[in-house]
């Protein structure tokens, strides 16, 4: 599966490691775009940190790195979607620099 991410320039699965164990991860996908002068945009999904390692900087470091990779690839924006309504989770994303400003519509199988 990781090979599929490698097929898209800038798209990666990032992992946070502690004592030879992965304790946090997120995915970044850089998406080609027809507007904004053809500048890509990025989507961050699957942000997960093991409960035992939360509030220790792993998630923040991964998100900051993901955003940095997106900027390096010329993206004009980075989006992050979450299904969480937990105030602490939403505050975490805001603390990293994300702002909640759009309406999300989805169709799922």
């Amino acid at each position: 599966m990781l090979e599929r991410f490698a097929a898209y320039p800038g798209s990666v699965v990032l992992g946070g490691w502690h004592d030879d164990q992965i304790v946090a991860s997120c995915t970044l996908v850089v998406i080609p775009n027809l507007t904004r002068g053809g500048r890509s945009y990025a989507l961050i999904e699957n942000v997960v940190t093991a409960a035992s390692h939360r509030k220790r900087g792993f998630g923040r470091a991964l998100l900051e790195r993901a955003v940095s990779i997106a900027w390096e690839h010329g993206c004009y924006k980075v989006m992050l979607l979450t299904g969480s309504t937990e105030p602490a989770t939403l505050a975490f994303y805001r603390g990293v620099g994300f702002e909640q400003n759009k309406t999300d519509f989805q169709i799922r199988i």
Side-chain angles (χ1 to χ4, degrees), residues 16-101:
W17 296 82
H18 183 261
D19 291 336
D20 296 327
Q21 290 187 330
I22 190 161
V23 298
S25 64
C26 74
T27 59
L28 170 73
V29 180
V30 173
I31 303 165
N33 191 26
L34 294 174
T35 63
R36 303 280 181 151
R39 290 180 68 192
S40 298
Y41 62 95
L43 175 64
I44 295 173
E45 276 277 355
N46 305 314
V47 179
V48 180
T49 301
S52 60
H53 287 76
R54 291 182 186 152
K55 299 184 187 261
R56 294 172 60 183
F58 291 101
R60 173 180 287 277
L62 289 180
L63 289 179
E64 288 174 349
R65 181 64 185 132
V67 169
S68 177
I69 292 168
W71 297 156
E72 290 168 10
H73 283 83
C75 293
Y76 79 94
K77 72 177 177 180
V78 181
M79 298 185 301
L80 183 150
L81 301 176
T82 181
S84 177
T85 57
E86 291 293 321
T89 301
L90 302 179
F92 165 69
Y93 292 135
R94 281 192 291 275
V96 175
F98 289 90
E99 50 184 71
Q100 190 174 6
N101 63 3

Side-chain angles (χ1 to χ4, degrees), residues 95-108:
V96 175
F98 289 90
E99 50 184 71
Q100 190 174 6
N101 63 3
K102 287 201 172 197
T103 302
D104 172 46
F105 292 91
Q106 297 180 26
I107 296 176
R108 293 185 179 223

